[in-house]
Amino acid sequence: MEKTIQALRDLLKEDKNNSEIWFKLGYAYFQNNNLPQAVKAYEAGLKINPDSAIYWQNLGYFYYELEQYENAISALQKAIDLNPKLSIAWTELSSVYIDTDNFDKTIKASNQAIKLDPSDEVAWINLGSAYYNKKEYLLAIDALNTALKLNPELEFAKKILKLAQNEYK
């Protein structure tokens, strides 16, 4: 991966205004587990080409992984503004909201992701988790059962489902 990163950096010496090279460099840094450098590269690319929803979504994911939640929300919202049908951006946004205990916004973002992609198991898990945290156990059970129908191996969903079922009794 170091050779790829160096090759992309060399290309940028020739053309610093090529957003695609910046995005490829950012992805290479991500693959190399260097999220701070991935963020810098994506930010540079987005200054040149700010109209790519998927790159805003990727940047939001990087911020999320770095636990820079406000930046993640901002980048993901920009992705959604550019492409409201980008379901992965809605799912990532719901993940940020669940991690920041904003359960009402988690529910809204998860529902939007599910509306766009009903097979999105992460959105279903986030939805179930948010309902569980709001003590709406029947809704949590329904959402988590749906996630498990999509993927029966989801250990986290199984755990939260069991807790919700115990609370609902």
Side-chain angles (χ1 to χ4, degrees), residues 1-6 8-9 12 18-46 54-62 65 88 92:
M1 193 54 65
E2 290 297 328
K3 287 182 180 179
T4 300
I5 290 170
Q6 190 55 53
L8 291 166
R9 290 170 60 101
L12 283 171
N18 187 323
S19 63
E20 288 303 312
I21 296 172
W22 281 109
F23 297 135
K24 287 178 183 177
L25 179 61
Y27 190 73
Y29 279 127
F30 169 71
Q31 292 290 308
N32 207 33
N33 294 315
N34 188 338
L35 283 175
Q37 286 301 111
V39 165
K40 287 180 185 177
Y42 265 75
E43 287 173 340
L46 286 165
I54 195 68
Y55 291 129
W56 281 106
Q57 182 273 319
N58 287 346
L59 180 61
Y61 175 77
F62 297 159
E65 288 295 310
I88 187 67
E92 291 296 333

Side-chain angles (χ1 to χ4, degrees), residues 60-136:
Y61 175 77
F62 297 159
Y63 282 135
Y64 172 66
E65 288 295 310
L66 291 167
E67 297 181 2
Q68 295 179 14
Y69 298 124
E70 291 303 316
N71 288 338
I73 291 167
S74 179
L76 292 165
Q77 193 57 61
K78 180 69 173 171
I80 290 165
D81 290 346
L82 289 167
N83 182 359
K85 293 183 178 182
L86 186 60
S87 65
I88 187 67
W90 287 103
T91 301
E92 291 296 333
L93 189 59
S94 75
S95 294
V96 174
Y97 287 140
I98 197 77
D99 283 3
T100 56
D101 296 336
N102 193 329
F103 305 122
D104 289 331
K105 287 187 177 181
T106 301
I107 291 166
K108 287 179 184 177
S110 295
N111 278 325
Q112 188 60 37
I114 291 164
K115 179 179 172 187
L116 295 167
D117 180 5
S119 66
D120 186 336
E121 62 196 45
V122 174
W124 283 107
I125 293 170
N126 288 346
L127 182 63
S129 296
Y131 281 134
Y132 174 80
N133 281 290
K134 288 181 58 97
K135 299 182 181 353
E136 296 182 35

